[in-house]
Structure formats: structure tokens, C-alpha cells
Amino acid sequence: MEISKNGKNMNDKYKKLALSLLFDAVGYATFLIPGIGELFDVIWAPASAYLMTKLYKGNKGKIAAAITFIEEAMPGLDVIPTFTLMWLYTYVFKGKEANEPKKTIEV
């Protein structure tokens, strides 16, 4: 088991990436099947929002779940990879900010 500097399990990071890619693929599959896809979106939209809250805890998970629900419920937006974008936000973009030293402004 590989542990990063901040103590998080690196395998967990890549497990979330694999799940994100899988869940986005399910969302794409509903987009590819005309007629049936819209019916499946009625089921997939709340399920994907629930899965997002389980993958990403706290307020960021709740916000991402709301965005995911809207994206899956709206016709034509299924092509947006919200799970993968959330993974990138959490581990790539936010990860860089966490490693940067805090800047203070002295008055």
C-alpha cells in the first residue's frame, strides 16, 4: 500500500479515478441509446448524485452531486464527464493548492 505525504492512500485516489471513469461511461451510455436513454436518465440522475456524495465527502461532494443531478437530468448534457472533472478538481487542481505555502499579507 502506497501512502502519500499527507497520509492518504494513493490506491484510493486511483480507485476513485477508475470509478469516476466508469460512472461517466454509464452516463454516456444513456446518451447513446435514443428513447431508452432518456428513461434511464430518470433513474441514473438521482443515482449518480448519490454516488457523487459517497465518493466525495463534505460540501464539495454535495455541490458536485447537485451539478451531477442537473447534468444527467437535462437532455443533451450527458456528454459532460462530471465525475472525472470532480476527480481532477480534487486531486489535481486542489492538490496543487494544498502543497503551496500559505501566503499572508501583513498590514
Side-chain angles (χ1 to χ4, degrees):
M1 182 183 324
E2 190 176 331
I3 305 294
S4 68
K5 290 180 185 177
N6 59 4
K8 289 187 178 179
N9 184 346
M10 292 297 286
N11 290 333
D12 185 48
K13 175 181 175 179
Y14 294 110
K15 181 179 172 184
K16 282 186 180 181
L17 175 60
L19 287 171
S20 295
L21 292 170
L22 175 69
F23 295 150
D24 283 334
V26 171
Y28 288 142
T30 65
F31 184 71
L32 296 174
I33 306 168
I36 298 172
E38 287 77 20
L39 178 63
F40 187 71
D41 278 343
V42 172
I43 299 165
W44 179 241
S48 65
Y50 175 77
L51 291 169
M52 186 68 82
T53 61
K54 293 301 172 191
L55 278 177
Y56 303 99
K57 303 293 182 194
N59 285 336
K60 70 180 180 178
K62 292 175 186 174
I63 293 168
I67 292 169
T68 301
F69 179 82
I70 293 167
E71 179 257 330
E72 289 295 338
M74 297 291 290
L77 295 180
D78 290 347
V79 296
I80 300 170
T82 48
F83 283 95
T84 305
L85 290 173
M86 183 60 181
W87 185 88
L88 287 170
Y89 171 77
T90 302
Y91 293 105
V92 177
F93 302 121
K94 270 299 213 194
K96 288 180 182 177
E97 290 177 14
N99 293 338
E100 293 177 3
K102 302 266 187 211
K103 296 178 183 175
T104 59
I105 299 173
E106 297 197 27
V107 183

